[in-house]
Amino acid sequence: MTAHQNDTISSEISDFLLNCFVRSPSWKFWLSLPLSLLFLLALGANSVLLITIRLEASLHEPLYHLLSLLSLLDIIVCLTVIPKVLAIFWFDLKSISFYACFLQMFIMNCFLSMESCTFMVMAYDRYVAICHPLRYPSIITDQFVAKAAVFILARNGILTVPIPILSSRLHYCGTNVIDNCICANMSVSRLSCDDVTINRLYQFAIGWTLLGSDLILIFVSYTLILRAVLRLKAEGAVAKALSTCGSHFILILFFSTILLVFVLTLVVKKKVSPDVPVLLNVLHHVIFSALNPIVYGVRTQEIKQGIQRLMKKRYGVRTQEIKQGIQRLMTKKVATRSLRS
């Protein structure tokens, strides 16, 4: 029997209702515009990055393959989360099917950890490039990137798939209203009549094991990079290396800090409005998707040059065609006048 929107008791739930910002309904109005702009920016910037890397032969290198993977992950995460959130804000479409909810839960958990793992591989790439530049071509190869991609997919796919499976096997016998904009594991399992201790422990263990280990390895890589950079004596080399790697590390640190703040707000939820973790959770899925192509892509000189070359090719050809068209028209006019005379 399908659960109704009036929270009546039922023996089986076939859909859920995403009921977010109940205590702060005005947030929906104020969030809808910036959220939609961030969504468009994330899709546009990541699409431009993917197209540029695909079409520019000079960018067919290991580092840019990793950037392509990161952009692809960002696009999928955005498309999985943000359209549904905007549909709730604009059209009050709160309903989500049982299986769609757990699919969204899997994609969010899996792709978040995949992004973290990709950051870790990219940090290792920068470590080899700066600390062992002569060995870089022999270590960071296309084969290395292929193996890294398989590792990223396998590790995070296998370890995160039990999260939605455990939640979907619970018995939902009461309300079907989720106090969230998305199908977060804890928000959904809270509706179950069963004991959810295993779910909570597994989510906690996997989260800190995957993200924690990645963060430690990233920190170690950038510490070694910093030590190597400070030893450089070439003029301007230190500033250039710090500018490039510094922006990367700050973004990764911000990525991890948001997660930490989110966890802390859940721990001290009695002192914080329940809408705050929901807000952080939603923003986390779009802010970094918008920032990643800018920090990793646009600030990279080779990618900037690649985008400029593509723009010149596209608009240069059109300009040439327009010029030729004008010349043909002028030639016809001159020929017509000469015939009349």
Side-chain angles (χ1 to χ4, degrees):
M1 182 171 65
T2 303
H4 298 287
Q5 296 183 6
N6 57 3
D7 305 350
T8 56
I9 304 299
S10 63
S11 60
E12 184 182 351
I13 286 178
S14 63
D15 62 355
F16 294 103
L17 296 178
L18 296 169
N19 195 27
C20 54
F21 302 131
V22 179
R23 297 162 189 82
S24 308
S26 62
W27 288 14
K28 295 181 182 179
F29 173 78
W30 295 109
L31 276 174
S32 60
L33 180 59
L35 195 64
S36 58
L37 292 176
L38 282 171
F39 175 63
L40 293 175
L41 175 62
L43 290 184
N46 283 290
S47 298
V48 169
L49 193 60
L50 280 172
I51 293 170
T52 302
I53 294 173
R54 175 68 180 85
L55 297 180
E56 275 295 310
S58 61
L59 299 178
H60 294 173
E61 296 180 4
L63 174 61
Y64 304 113
H65 294 325
L66 292 172
L67 281 174
S68 297
L69 176 59
L70 188 62
S71 290
L72 186 61
L73 294 175
D74 286 333
I75 290 173
I76 294 173
V77 168
C78 273
L79 290 175
T80 303
V81 175
I82 305 304
K84 182 59 181 177
V85 175
L86 292 175
I88 296 171
F89 287 180
W90 290 340
F91 309 110
D92 203 33
L93 298 177
K94 300 179 180 180
S95 179
I96 184 171
S97 70
F98 186 85
Y99 294 106
C101 184
F102 292 107
L103 177 61
Q104 187 190 66
M105 183 187 299
F106 169 70
I107 292 175
M108 288 190 300
N109 283 281
C110 179
F111 282 63
L112 175 65
S113 54
M114 284 173 66
E115 280 196 79
S116 174
C117 194
T118 306
F119 283 140
M120 183 262 291
V121 175
M122 293 174 69
Y124 176 71
D125 171 271
R126 293 299 84 200
Y127 162 74
V128 176
I130 293 176
C131 298
H132 304 283
L134 297 179
R135 297 176 58 194
Y136 181 84
S138 61
I139 296 176
I140 309 299
T141 61
D142 290 339
Q143 187 178 10
F144 167 83
V145 173
K147 290 180 179 178
V150 171
F151 170 73
I152 291 169
L153 292 170
R155 186 198 78 162
N156 300 291
I158 293 171
L159 293 179
T160 57
V161 74
I163 294 174
I165 291 177
L166 288 171
S167 292
S168 64
R169 292 174 65 86
L170 294 172
H171 182 51
Y172 296 93
C173 59
T175 179
N176 67 335
V177 178
I178 302 171
D179 292 328
N180 207 327
C181 296
I182 56 180
C183 289
N185 181 32
M186 291 298 99
S187 298
V188 177
S189 60
R190 193 178 295 125
L191 306 179
S192 172
C193 303
D194 298 335
D195 183 13
V196 296
T197 304
I198 295 177
N199 296 58
R200 292 177 182 274
L201 290 176
Y202 189 82
Q203 175 90 54
F204 182 83
I206 288 299
W208 284 105
T209 299
L210 295 180
L211 301 181
S213 61
D214 291 341
L215 184 60
I216 290 171
L217 292 173
I218 289 169
F219 182 78
V220 170
S221 296
Y222 280 103
T223 300
L224 295 173
I225 288 172
L226 180 62
R227 189 178 68 173
V229 164
L230 294 177
R231 293 176 180 174
L232 296 175
K233 296 181 179 179
E235 186 178 354
V238 174
K240 183 178 179 180
L242 288 177
S243 174
T244 303
C245 296
S247 58
H248 296 179
F249 183 71
I250 289 171
L251 180 63
I252 294 168
L253 191 63
F254 189 42
F255 175 85
S256 306
T257 304
I258 285 291
L259 289 177
L260 182 61
V261 171
F262 174 62
V263 171
L264 290 176
T265 54
L266 289 177
V267 172
V268 295
K269 56 185 177 182
K270 292 183 179 179
K271 299 180 181 180
V272 179
S273 171
D275 290 333
V276 173
V278 175
L279 175 64
L280 291 174
N281 212 344
V282 171
L283 291 178
H284 180 265
H285 287 88
V286 67
I287 288 178
F288 295 101
S289 298
L291 289 178
N292 282 339
I294 296 173
V295 173
Y296 280 95
V298 177
R299 294 189 81 250
T300 303
Q301 189 64 27
E302 291 79 5
I303 291 180
K304 287 172 65 176
Q305 293 174 352
I307 294 173
Q308 290 171 357
R309 283 194 294 269
L310 287 178
M311 295 295 287
K312 287 180 180 179
K313 286 179 182 178
R314 181 175 180 180
Y315 292 104
V317 170
R318 288 187 176 181
T319 303
Q320 187 65 26
E321 290 176 350
I322 291 171
K323 287 181 178 179
Q324 291 175 353
I326 293 172
Q327 289 175 354
R328 283 195 294 269
L329 286 174
M330 295 297 292
T331 304
K332 287 180 180 179
K333 286 183 178 181
V334 171
T336 303
R337 287 177 181 176
S338 61
L339 288 172
R340 288 177 180 176
S341 58

